[in-house]
Structure formats: C-alpha cells, structure tokens
Amino acid sequence: GAVVSQHPSWVICKSGTSVKIECRSLDFQATTMFWYRQFPKQSLMLMATSNEGSKATYEQGVEKDKFLINHASLTLSTLTVTSAHPEDSSFYICSANRDYQYYEQYFGPGTRLTVT
Amino acid sequence: AQKVTQAQTEISVVEKEDVTLDCVYETRDTTYYLFWYKQPPSGELVFLIRRNSFDEQNEISGRYSWNFQKSTSSFNFTITASQVVDSAVYFCALNPGNTGKLIFGQGTTLQVKP
C-alpha cells in the first residue's frame, strides 16, 4: 500500500511563533501533494497544491505568506504556519498522489495544531 | 459550480438498522471521481470507495453498498445492519476533472446506538 505520514501528530505553540508540519510519502514518490485544513466539526477545505520543485498553488482566500509550503523532494512537503494565531488552530491533513495519478489519493493521519 | 452536498448533518440509528447517507454533487466536468471517506474521532480519513464518472455500476462491499446515479448526480452510501463501530463522520468528496483537488461535502455524523 501507499503510506503517508505526518509529523508532528499534534503540536501546541504560542501565538506569534511559527510551526512546521511535515508530510512524507513513505513508500512511493509523490509528484503532487495537497494540504487541507479542517476546523472542528467542519469539513475539509483545500488550502494548496504542492508540486515537487515548483511553487505551491494556493486556493482563493489562503494567505500564501502565512502558510508557507515547500515541496523539496518527491517524498516530502512541508507546511509552515508563520506567526500563528489562535484562529489558525485546526486539523491539517495532507494527501499525496503518485505518478500524476490524481484519481488516487493517499491521506496522511493529520496534524492537530493548537495555538495558545 | 463544483459542489458536494450532504444534506444530513447528523443521523442516529439503533444497532442493526440500515442507514443511507446521501450525497449530491455538482460539476460540469465529464471526467470526475467520487469518494466516500470515514473519519473516526482520531481524525484520520479512512478510504471507503472511489468511483469514476464512467462507471455507474453499484458496488457492494460487505455491509456497505453504494448507489451512483448520474441522472440525479447522487452517490449514496448505505450501511446494512449497522454496528456501533460504524459511528463516525462520513464524507463524500468529488475530484472534478481528475485534478486531484478534492471537494468535500459537509459530512454526516452517524451515531449508532447499542
């Protein structure tokens, strides 16, 4: 199977600090990774699309300077929440595709961010 | 517009009852994929099924079955003889144009009582 991991699984940080979340494809090369955000008791919303070696594409309304995405290799994408505020507290989930097979998505287990 | 609607916010049933979760989607793309995911309290999404727009065959997997009808743009999910372990939030999702970007419905919280 295709396994995607996320690290950390949960993190608590103070307002104004930055936090980095990693998304790794463990047994395949991910040509594309997607980042989603889920607020409590709400649905998942796509934040951005991350392609290896190129700039991420952000969805409308997502601040690219606040949510920095880097896809440095075919197995790793990172999401950095800069100058985090309590309203950034959310569940962040990544997904990955391999070989541009967009019909098949592999989701990570998610990272729960709490900003105090 | 591309959209997924799960009109049922919460459903509560007693164990062994059958339950159907509704999903209606909107897209102008002729190629698209539909998914159902289960999200238990841990938060991790559990993949249940994928269907492409050219395959309207219904599918059965154990106690789970899915009814895909393009004429009504619906992709409903039925659990037969529900069990307490089925309690979770269920999401229907659309991959329009096979872009990989999933559009999720609002989710249906299913509570199965013993």
Side-chain angles (χ1 to χ4, degrees):
Chain A
V3 180
V4 175
S5 70
Q6 282 185 240
H7 178 79
S9 54
W10 59 270
V11 57
I12 301 173
C13 70
K14 292 189 175 179
S15 188
T17 62
S18 296
V19 61
K20 180 185 287 187
I21 302 169
E22 294 184 348
C23 176
R24 290 183 186 272
S25 54
L26 298 184
D27 52 359
F28 67 99
Q29 292 188 327
T31 47
T32 307
M33 288 184 171
F34 300 88
W35 286 95
Y36 295 83
R37 178 169 56 183
Q38 184 181 29
F39 290 112
K41 298 192 181 299
Q42 294 190 24
S43 185
L44 287 81
M45 298 294 291
L46 178 66
M47 297 176 67
T49 303
S50 166
N51 290 297
E52 185 264 340
S54 61
K55 288 186 178 179
T57 303
Y58 292 82
E59 296 299 303
Q60 194 172 10
V62 177
E63 300 174 60
K64 58 180 70 176
D65 293 331
K66 182 169 186 61
F67 299 99
L68 301 179
I69 292 173
N70 184 285
H71 195 153
S73 75
L74 282 171
T75 59
L76 174 64
S77 176
T78 60
L79 167 66
T80 301
V81 183
T82 63
S83 187
H85 290 285
E87 55 265 31
D88 298 323
S89 298
S90 186
F91 192 56
Y92 293 87
I93 308 176
C94 70
S95 72
N97 301 107
R98 57 181 168 188
D99 301 329
Y100 299 102
Q101 294 175 358
Y102 294 126
Y103 55 85
E104 201 150 34
Q105 302 270 345
Y106 301 101
F107 280 90
T111 296
R112 200 164 298 279
L113 169 65
T114 301
V115 184
T116 61
Chain B
Q2 295 168 336
K3 188 179 176 182
V4 176
T5 301
Q6 294 179 253
Q8 305 148 309
T9 305
E10 292 184 17
I11 300 176
S12 181
V13 299
V14 177
E15 206 170 20
K16 297 185 182 176
E17 284 186 21
D18 298 346
V19 58
T20 295
L21 283 60
D22 298 332
C23 174
V24 174
Y25 63 93
E26 293 178 35
T27 180
R28 291 185 177 178
D29 293 293
T30 54
T31 300
Y32 54 89
Y33 289 83
L34 294 164
F35 301 79
W36 275 97
Y37 290 93
K38 176 181 180 180
Q39 188 178 44
S42 66
E44 186 164 358
L45 289 176
V46 177
F47 168 79
L48 297 177
I49 190 171
R50 177 186 68 233
R51 259 289 176 265
N52 73 56
S53 51
F54 301 107
D55 182 4
E56 280 192 80
Q57 277 194 342
N58 292 328
E59 181 151 341
I60 298 174
S61 176
R63 296 184 297 108
Y64 296 168
S65 62
W66 291 269
N67 185 338
F68 178 25
Q69 291 197 343
K70 287 177 74 171
S71 60
T72 55
S73 297
S74 64
F75 186 41
N76 297 336
F77 172 33
T78 298
I79 302 175
T80 303
S82 59
Q83 299 177 0
V84 173
V85 293
D86 296 327
S87 298
V89 181
Y90 290 86
F91 288 99
C92 178
L94 167 70
N95 173 3
N98 197 19
T99 59
K101 301 180 180 183
L102 293 192
I103 298 170
F104 285 83
Q106 302 92 318
T108 297
T109 300
L110 174 64
Q111 184 182 34
V112 182
K113 298 178 181 177

